[in-house]
Amino acid sequence: MNENELLGDAQTFILECYQELGKSPAEAAHRIAQIKGEIQSTGGYQHTFEELSQGAKMAWRNSNRCIGRLFWDSLHVFDARDHHTEEEVYKALCDHLAFATNEGRIQPTITIFHPIENDCTQVRIWNHQLLRYAGYEKEKGVIGDPASVAFTQVCEELGWQGAGTPYDLLPLVIQIKNQPPKWFDVPRGLALEVPIHHPEYPAITDLRIQWYAVPIISDMKLVIGGITYPAAPFNGWYMGTEIGARNLADTERYNLLPQVASCIGLPTQINSTLWKDRALVELNIAVLHSFKEAGVSIVDHHTAAQQFAHFEKKEQKSKRSVTGDWSWLIPPLSPATTAIWHTAYPNDEQTPNYFYQRPPYS
Ligand code: HEM
Ligand SMILES: N/C(=N/c1cccc(CO[C@@H]2CCNC2)c1)c1cccs1
């Protein structure tokens, strides 16, 4: 991006951001003039903490695929732009984990590391999520999460060795500039996990299913007013279907529906008995029941859809149009029972926002 484009993006962001923060047009104009000067002398500009914080919240509000946007304004923002070594970054990630987990009363949080400067990435986290299970390719198939097989191999090449169970937490892999990445174990006390039980079918317990409490996306970039933050891990809480209808159910993930079905005595030979659908519902009931029993925040897809409807009304009151990616907003279980199914959303891309970026390893 050239300096003119950067100034244009900065101006657009400051005008919207300062208006939302109740600042005067004169204050916005003064800030824009200041940024113009900084871009002319350094080729870039630095956000104030206030701009960084509001920008991260606006980016969540603009995330078209997110059903959880009602709470966009309550995001906790940590400024880690002055962290330059792998150890400093690791400490900040541990602090994020502890704060966000909050003993189960999950707090939506983002930690923002140094932005790209002179086309150079300063900090990069190689994990897709800070907490995720390893996947080991074996002759008889995969042990653990098949979605993690490639990254698990990268971690093993870096010297990490997992225990080989289906639920081994992967290490945090942190890269500074173009140096080789360093890996660090997640302190066991910081990774809250939930054992999965069913309120009516005790046999489900014998499957020894578990999942981690806090989803923390760490591979997307945050773009605010033309400035790119390639390391900005953010977390919310889970919607139950993410775990029960995808991570544990997909055939190319943990593929547990046949085992759940036999646990509850369903005949799995004939499609029209809808055994797969019954197993899916019972697995999702077990996930919601287990998180609640463990005192860990989680939302069911019906409540989440109602909260999204509330978000739509709030945005209309604020004279902002709600953009969305319908195909991602509908939940994977009973989608047509939610109001989202019966609503159309323009999938226009706004900034600030969170975007995919090229993987740091291939
Ligand atoms: C507070 C509770 C939250 C819930 C229940 C929630 C729920 C979800 C769900 C279910 C998805 C779809 C994920 C998938 O299908 O794989 C999603 C996507 C997304 N969410 Fe949220 N979310 C929450 C908070 C947040 C926060 C705090 C942020 C950022 C600050 C965020 C940003 C996003 C983004 C960027 C996506 C799209 C990811 C992609 O394109 O791969 N969400 N959210
Ligand atoms: N509940 C959540 N769910 C997700 C939000 C964003 C992305 C994902 C996982 O996306 C993967 C890539 C495409 N589907 C799986 C899950 C949150 C994670 C971080 C904040 S809220």
Side-chain angles (χ1 to χ4, degrees):
M1 163 174 332
N2 67 43
E3 292 191 3
N4 255 346
E5 285 166 339
L6 177 56
L7 179 58
D9 289 1
Q11 181 157 321
T12 305
F13 166 63
I14 293 298
L15 288 172
E16 185 177 7
C17 174
Y18 277 40
Q19 190 263 327
E20 288 187 19
L21 292 174
K23 296 174 182 291
S24 69
E27 212 176 335
H30 179 258
R31 178 62 177 139
I32 289 164
Q34 196 180 43
I35 287 171
K36 183 174 182 177
E38 195 176 340
I39 291 173
Q40 278 164 349
S41 57
T42 71
Y45 75 101
Q46 275 197 8
H47 289 124
T48 64
F49 176 74
E50 199 181 25
E51 292 160 358
L52 188 71
S53 175
Q54 189 64 19
K57 294 176 181 179
M58 292 162 76
W60 180 9
R61 193 182 71 209
N62 290 334
S63 296
N64 287 352
R65 293 174 162 177
C66 182
I67 194 172
R69 288 181 272 170
L70 174 61
F71 307 104
W72 68 270
D73 198 19
S74 61
L75 182 67
H76 295 271
V77 180
F78 291 123
D79 182 354
R81 290 178 287 175
D82 61 354
H83 291 41
H84 293 291
T85 68
E86 294 90 348
E87 285 70 17
E88 286 172 349
V89 171
Y90 172 61
K91 171 78 169 56
L93 296 182
C94 290
D95 292 347
H96 182 127
L97 251 180
F99 179 84
T101 305
N102 190 32
E103 295 175 333
R105 288 181 309 285
I106 294 173
Q107 306 187 99
T109 308
I110 186 170
T111 299
I112 304 173
F113 294 96
H114 200 283
I116 288 181
E117 194 176 288
N118 303 322
D119 291 333
C120 295
T121 294
Q122 313 296 312
V123 181
R124 190 68 194 266
I125 300 164
W126 286 25
N127 305 64
H128 163 58
Q129 294 183 34
L130 297 189
L131 300 178
R132 221 188 189 196
Y133 295 123
Y136 307 96
E137 187 85 68
K138 299 289 179 193
E139 305 76 49
K140 300 195 302 304
V142 173
I143 292 178
D145 193 342
S148 294
V149 166
F151 182 59
T152 301
Q153 285 165 0
V154 166
C155 294
E156 289 171 330
E157 280 150 26
L158 293 175
W160 178 79
Q161 222 168 3
T165 81
Y167 300 103
D168 292 344
L169 285 173
L170 285 160
L172 300 176
V173 180
I174 298 161
Q175 181 180 31
I176 300 296
K177 294 193 176 76
N178 280 323
Q179 299 160 190
K182 282 187 183 172
W183 64 269
F184 303 80
D185 276 325
V186 176
R188 298 293 309 170
L190 292 185
L192 182 56
E193 296 179 272
V194 179
I196 303 302
H197 308 292
H198 190 286
E200 291 153 42
Y201 300 109
I204 296 264
T205 299
D206 304 338
L207 296 179
R208 292 198 286 191
I209 304 165
Q210 65 185 73
W211 204 258
Y212 52 90
V214 190
I216 313 167
I217 296 296
S218 47
D219 61 359
M220 294 184 84
K221 63 184 177 187
L222 166 58
V223 177
I224 303 172
I227 303 294
T228 297
Y229 297 89
F234 59 83
N235 76 277
W237 49 78
Y238 264 118
M239 180 162 80
T241 50
E242 298 181 79
I243 303 168
R246 301 303 311 277
N247 300 345
L248 296 176
D250 283 3
T251 50
E252 69 276 9
R253 297 294 296 281
Y254 279 78
N255 189 24
L256 288 173
L257 294 184
Q259 293 175 65
V260 168
S262 58
C263 266
I264 56 184
L266 297 173
T268 58
Q269 295 76 7
I270 306 165
N271 285 335
S272 54
T273 62
L274 299 192
W275 66 269
K276 207 172 268 191
D277 311 72
R278 283 186 160 173
L280 195 58
V281 168
E282 296 307 337
L283 182 51
N284 278 274
I285 287 170
V287 167
L288 291 167
H289 165 81
S290 304
F291 268 64
K292 285 195 177 70
E293 187 185 55
V296 176
S297 309
I298 195 165
V299 65
D300 66 83
H301 49 296
H302 303 291
T303 305
Q306 288 170 347
Q307 290 169 342
F308 189 71
H310 185 184
F311 169 68
E312 291 177 64
K313 287 183 198 68
K314 268 183 67 183
E315 288 304 285
Q316 275 136 26
K317 275 199 206 92
S318 303
K319 305 267 183 294
R320 287 189 293 262
S321 71
V322 172
T323 57
D325 181 342
W326 186 89
S327 66
W328 275 62
L329 289 171
I330 53 169
L333 184 55
S334 317
T337 65
T338 71
I340 296 171
W341 177 271
H342 306 279
T343 310
Y345 305 92
N347 193 16
D348 307 333
E349 186 179 285
Q350 305 179 87
T351 61
N353 215 321
Y354 299 97
F355 297 97
Y356 291 159
Q357 53 187 339
R358 56 157 201 75
Y361 59 88
S362 48

